[in-house]
Amino acid sequence: MKYLWWLFIDVPLSLLRVVIALIGVIVVPVALLFKTKVDGVYHLPRLFAWWDNPDYGIYGNHSYRTSKAYNPLFYKNPYGFGSAFYWLAIRNPANGLTQSKLFSVSQSDCDYVKYIGDVYVDNYAPGWQFVYARKGWRLYTGFYYLGKFGEWRIGFKLLPKEPNRKRRVGNTFIPNPFKGINK
């Protein structure tokens, strides 16, 4: 059942997320014209919340605003239109989906978080895992592989090593056959 759910629900949801992110290239420039300041941080209007960054707003985090390594194209003007566009549409596309119940979940709200494969897969720890969690009737699934064939992550970014994680985890689609393993 969990594999069918992944294949027929969460993989298409991941692909829909890609489409929403791509649309951001058109939506973000328009939405930036209507930015609003909330508690000292600029955000896109609520209508465009999927393309906003709920944590850092339209100008990014401190590292993005102050470092050429994080913002190579616009670090000299981190509060300009180009920098905001790059942050929202290219570097963190459709980041606001992390607040959507359809595209994210808080692991701590789930009845359980289980996995098959390796408990921990990350830049310094190659391997694979199929992770699944249940919240009521909804099953959340995700597949993650990192190894000699690159990085492949499709579905929810569930972390089996942190089953009670309160921060929301989103749905993603990362096909990267060229990523090497950081050692």
Side-chain angles (χ1 to χ4, degrees):
M1 179 66 170
K2 57 188 164 273
Y3 303 113
L4 292 175
W5 190 281
W6 178 75
L7 186 63
F8 292 111
I9 304 294
D10 290 339
V11 168
L13 203 56
S14 296
L15 296 173
L16 177 58
R17 189 196 182 293
V18 170
V19 170
I20 292 168
L22 291 173
I23 291 170
V25 174
I26 298 165
V27 170
V28 167
V30 173
L32 283 170
L33 298 173
F34 303 99
K35 68 184 183 242
T36 58
K37 197 172 191 178
V38 179
D39 297 327
V41 178
Y42 283 97
H43 287 279
L44 298 180
R46 189 178 187 123
L47 175 65
F48 305 106
W50 282 358
W51 295 277
D52 196 4
N53 188 294
D55 297 321
Y56 303 110
I58 68 171
Y59 296 120
N61 61 21
H62 177 75
S63 296
Y64 180 78
R65 291 189 312 269
T66 59
S67 171
K68 183 178 180 181
Y70 287 99
N71 186 3
L73 302 175
F74 303 103
Y75 71 96
K76 290 183 179 178
N77 186 13
Y79 295 100
F81 184 88
S83 185
F85 171 79
Y86 184 75
W87 171 257
L88 295 173
I90 308 300
R91 193 164 190 284
N92 291 291
N95 190 267
L97 290 176
T98 60
Q99 302 304 306
S100 164
K101 290 182 180 181
L102 182 62
F103 290 95
S104 69
V105 66
S106 176
Q107 287 187 203
S108 62
D109 292 342
C110 292
D111 302 327
Y112 60 78
V113 177
K114 297 181 179 181
Y115 72 97
I116 299 166
D118 301 302
V119 68
Y120 184 72
V121 179
D122 204 355
N123 287 337
Y124 301 99
W128 71 275
Q129 61 184 206
F130 183 84
V131 185
Y132 53 103
R134 180 171 300 282
K135 180 181 176 187
W137 63 271
R138 174 66 159 104
L139 193 61
Y140 297 88
T141 62
F143 173 77
Y144 188 22
Y145 167 84
L146 179 65
K148 67 179 182 178
F149 301 109
E151 176 185 37
W152 301 85
R153 189 166 211 161
I154 303 168
F156 286 86
K157 296 165 78 173
L158 298 161
L159 303 174
K161 199 169 182 179
E162 300 176 41
N164 295 317
R165 184 177 194 211
K166 293 190 186 300
R167 185 173 176 218
R168 296 187 74 81
V169 295
N171 184 301
T172 193
F173 181 79
I174 301 172
N176 188 352
F178 307 107
K179 181 173 183 174
I181 301 167
N182 296 333
K183 294 182 180 180

